[in-house]
Amino acid sequence: MQSKQILSLVDVKKIAAAAEAEAVANNWAVAIAIVDDGGHLLSFQRLDGTAPISADIAPAKARTAALGRRESKIYEDMINNGRMSFITAPKLEGMLEGGVPIMIDGQCLGAVGVSGVKSSEDAQVAKAGIAALLG
């Protein structure tokens, strides 16, 4: 039988606080979603001034990163490079940069999805949250 690590509530709070701190330090209004390895929502926050649509996009990016075990940007790049069939991939709705999986010892524990600013900045916020857990 195999065993796997899971995110604890303490872990999730640490990720969320660091991601929020990164966004606030840069004066970025974003939504931040954290999901488990099955894409189920563990934490969500929408900073003041964030567009309402980001409340849907951030969890979708996180879910895509968790289920695919890779950054959501990879799917965006594939589609932009002509692989249009990925648009129809089941359960993958957030195929935009800003979803980052939480990988430890080759296992995906979940993902962070961020939406509200430029996609590269969304990814920066997500990675800052994950770095707080791993660092």
Side-chain angles (χ1 to χ4, degrees):
M1 182 178 302
Q2 295 181 355
S3 60
K4 70 177 190 175
Q5 298 180 50
I6 60 168
L7 293 171
S8 69
L9 182 58
V10 170
D11 296 333
V12 171
K13 288 181 177 183
K14 186 183 289 187
I15 295 166
E20 179 182 350
E22 180 71 14
V24 169
N26 288 288
N27 200 31
W28 293 336
V30 296
I32 303 164
I34 303 169
V35 300
D36 66 13
D37 63 331
H40 304 99
L41 193 61
L42 299 172
S43 173
F44 177 80
Q45 55 187 332
R46 191 172 114 197
L47 303 184
D48 293 341
T50 304
I53 190 68
S54 292
D56 290 321
I57 296 172
K61 287 180 179 183
R63 192 169 27 262
T64 294
L67 294 176
R69 310 296 199 249
R70 59 184 56 133
E71 288 194 38
S72 55
K73 180 183 185 335
I74 290 172
Y75 298 106
E76 179 180 16
D77 290 345
M78 284 193 290
I79 293 165
N80 287 341
N81 289 321
R83 200 135 177 237
M84 302 302 288
S85 61
F86 263 96
I87 291 174
T88 63
K91 303 221 181 225
L92 299 182
E93 298 172 339
M95 293 184 280
L96 304 164
E97 183 176 8
V100 181
I102 303 165
M103 302 295 294
I104 298 178
D105 297 329
Q107 289 184 349
C108 181
L109 279 64
V112 180
V114 179
S115 176
V117 287
K118 292 179 186 176
S119 291
S120 61
E121 296 167 345
D122 289 341
Q124 179 180 327
V125 171
K127 289 175 182 178
I130 295 167
L133 178 66
L134 303 179

